Amino acid sequence: MHERTEADLIHGLDDRPAPLPALFAAVQHLLASFVGIITPPLVIGAVLGLGEHLPYLISMALMVSGVGTFIQARSPFGIGAGMICLQGTSFAFLGAVLSAGLLVKGRGGSPDDILAIIFGVCFFGAFVQIVLSRFIGQLRRVITPLVTGIVITLIGVSLIKVGITDLGGGFKADDFGAPRNLALGALVLLTIILLNRSQQPWLRLSAIVIGLGVGSLAALFSGKLVPQPLPDLPLVSLPVPFRFGFAFDWTAFVPVALIYVISTIETVGDLTANCMLSRQPIEGPSYLRRLRGGILGDGVSCLIAATFSAFPNTTFAQNNGVIQMTGVASRHVGLYIGALLFALGLFPLLGAVLQQIPKPVLGGATLIMFGNVAAAGIRILAQIELDRRSMLIIAASLGVGLGIAAQPELLHQMPTLVRNLFESAITCGGLTAILLDLLLPRDRSEAVIVAHSHQA
């Protein structure tokens, strides 16, 4: 008889917990992911000037996340991993979506034109992920942990600029860098860090929500947050297919398509971690079946998202931490999470309230969230053998990616198509990593290790 360990599951994958414990576990998942789901629409809306549409966009983000989570847990027709794979708005797409929006804005496009292009390219991009799900075995030979680690690090590092801009007061704010803004951002940041070190699981789970609450209160007392009258919104927000129209642009599509490939890589990592926590095999046919279903579920979720005006979805990594902490891996809890998210999305007034969170408060939270993405990439890199070849690939990829991010004017004399495709740190660094990993010969000893891992 083995001793019980902390990591033991209380409810396994196919267990059916009673409604009350299932609801309790679902609420904890919701707390861990809620801010992550609504932050990308808030950031995109602020940068692209989509204020009037924000309540609807936030409602749709929550609603589509609920539908996607339900599909992943229920796994109808083999779509979905059949696990708690909480679907949420992906931070990875922020850079590509913002550059697509700014492209249309630069041409004098209205908010509706901006959203029509964004959701058009995201709709077709979702098919990239759906097709990739059919070739997951072969894809894992090209998209190695080295490439994955580099790309996720680049995503985090390139997003940190968005977080720090918000912390200072927001893009082109009149009071950018004002001491009050910096103090509010620092307060939120410190609150989240301190709560994350707490021994109480509830406090750790709710750290970002509490941090935003403390920051908003401080902003209210300092005069930074002046509550605005809520707009005249319907009580219930009903999804409308392609509400803002449908348009397409190749220069906006290619970076988004590449992020769909990268999102697939992230999902493979998240699903593998989920399988380990749920006591499921991480090799063999059942594992590959889960990967195929999970990535197909992500793709279908993104297709639904683009249709109903939500930004692309992905499987959230932070919810693996909730499974580990609660010991509840039952996929039936995923059905509860899906229903709760959908219910939250029905009420657009929630989006209108959240839209009033001051930028420095939001920046304090997103700074640590985006930093967390970069840290996840570094963690992946730390788990592989960093020989001379790996270090060279990391150096070149980070150099190219971060170099482009630091000096966006570098490509201003290139043709528009090249400029639009390669001004993203993630696109440039990611392609550099993939090409070098494919082209640079491995040392003989390393080649043997890789060949052995593929046989396994």
Side-chain angles (χ1 to χ4, degrees):
M1 183 105 176
H2 295 293
E3 270 186 60
R4 178 181 166 80
T5 64
E6 266 190 284
D8 276 349
L9 290 180
I10 299 166
H11 293 292
L13 191 66
D14 292 307
D15 292 352
R16 287 177 179 269
L20 199 61
L23 188 65
F24 185 71
V27 167
Q28 291 186 81
H29 279 278
L30 207 63
L31 284 173
S33 58
F34 179 79
V35 176
I37 294 168
I38 63 161
T39 300
L42 285 170
V43 171
I44 292 165
V47 174
L48 299 178
L50 309 173
E52 58 181 306
H53 298 312
L54 256 180
Y56 182 78
L57 293 174
I58 290 169
S59 281
M60 290 305 107
L62 289 163
M63 214 177 273
V64 169
S65 292
V67 172
T69 305
F70 196 93
I71 289 171
Q72 286 283 17
R74 190 83 180 78
S75 191
F77 314 110
I79 304 168
M83 299 191 292
I84 299 178
C85 298
L86 196 142
Q87 299 289 284
T89 319
S90 173
F91 285 113
F93 287 85
L94 264 186
V97 164
L98 286 174
S99 53
L102 291 168
L103 191 74
V104 182
K105 201 174 182 181
R107 296 175 189 158
S110 68
D112 282 38
D113 297 332
I114 291 169
L115 290 168
I117 281 279
I118 288 171
F119 295 129
V121 296
C122 289
F123 181 85
F124 285 109
F127 288 102
V128 172
Q129 202 161 22
I130 289 168
V131 171
L132 286 176
S133 72
R134 305 296 89 192
F135 301 99
I136 195 61
Q138 295 86 326
L139 187 70
R140 288 175 71 222
R141 287 180 166 80
V142 179
I143 312 298
T144 60
L146 178 65
V147 171
T148 309
I150 290 168
V151 167
I152 294 173
T153 304
L154 278 170
I155 290 169
V157 172
S158 59
L159 286 175
I160 284 169
K161 184 180 178 183
V162 176
I164 205 77
T165 303
D166 273 353
L167 191 144
F171 188 61
K172 290 187 176 172
D174 295 335
D175 63 344
F176 187 83
R180 180 174 63 177
N181 292 348
L182 302 184
L184 283 171
L187 173 68
V188 175
L189 190 67
L190 283 170
T191 304
I192 293 170
I193 290 169
L194 290 172
L195 290 175
N196 258 294
R197 298 305 303 148
S198 166
Q199 297 301 310
Q200 292 295 322
W202 264 104
L203 284 176
R204 287 206 302 274
L205 269 178
S206 318
I208 290 171
V209 178
I210 295 170
L212 285 171
V214 168
S216 298
L217 272 175
L220 189 65
F221 289 125
S222 68
K224 178 69 181 174
L225 171 57
V226 181
Q228 301 297 315
L230 291 173
D232 187 21
L233 293 166
L235 179 64
V236 172
S237 188
L238 295 173
V240 179
F242 303 115
R243 175 173 168 167
F244 303 104
F246 191 86
F248 185 80
D249 185 300
W250 276 105
T251 53
F253 173 73
V254 177
V256 168
L258 183 68
I259 305 297
Y260 271 108
V261 177
I262 287 155
S263 181
T264 304
I265 304 164
E266 281 190 87
T267 300
V268 169
D270 292 337
L271 290 171
T272 306
N274 200 323
C275 283
M276 290 166 71
L277 292 166
S278 307
R279 300 287 181 274
Q280 300 302 308
I282 53 166
E283 55 186 18
S286 71
Y287 168 62
L288 280 177
R289 195 165 56 248
R290 280 199 197 282
L291 286 188
R292 276 193 204 100
I295 291 161
L296 180 59
D298 263 24
V300 169
S301 190
C302 289
L303 209 56
I304 296 167
T307 304
F308 293 104
S309 311
F311 299 106
N313 273 9
T314 190
T315 298
F316 268 18
Q318 59 261 48
N319 292 87
N320 287 337
V322 182
I323 295 170
Q324 188 168 27
M325 199 193 71
T326 59
V328 178
S330 167
R331 65 196 183 93
H332 298 286
V333 170
L335 306 179
Y336 283 78
I337 302 166
L340 286 172
L341 281 168
F342 190 87
L344 280 174
L346 276 174
F347 304 108
L349 279 175
L350 181 70
V353 171
L354 294 170
Q355 195 181 336
Q356 298 195 24
I357 298 173
K359 287 282 180 297
V361 173
L362 194 63
T366 53
L367 193 63
I368 201 160
M369 288 160 79
F370 297 154
N372 215 10
V373 175
I378 293 166
R379 186 179 177 185
I380 293 168
L381 291 175
Q383 289 169 352
I384 60 178
E385 188 187 344
L386 295 176
D387 55 12
R388 271 191 315 140
R389 176 182 175 278
S390 300
M391 291 299 285
L392 184 62
I393 294 170
I394 293 169
S397 306
L398 292 182
V400 169
L402 298 179
I404 293 285
Q407 191 48 269
E409 295 296 304
L410 185 74
L411 301 176
H412 81 287
Q413 293 192 37
M414 300 297 282
T416 309
L417 179 68
V418 174
R419 201 165 62 241
N420 288 333
L421 290 184
F422 295 106
E423 65 185 0
S424 157
I426 303 158
T427 310
C428 270
L431 285 175
T432 304
I434 291 168
L435 288 172
L436 289 180
D437 198 34
L438 287 171
L439 298 174
L440 288 183
R442 287 186 168 87
D443 295 339
R444 174 165 287 189
S445 59
E446 192 188 345
V448 170
I449 293 166
V450 170
H452 179 72
S453 71
H454 287 325
Q455 285 165 12

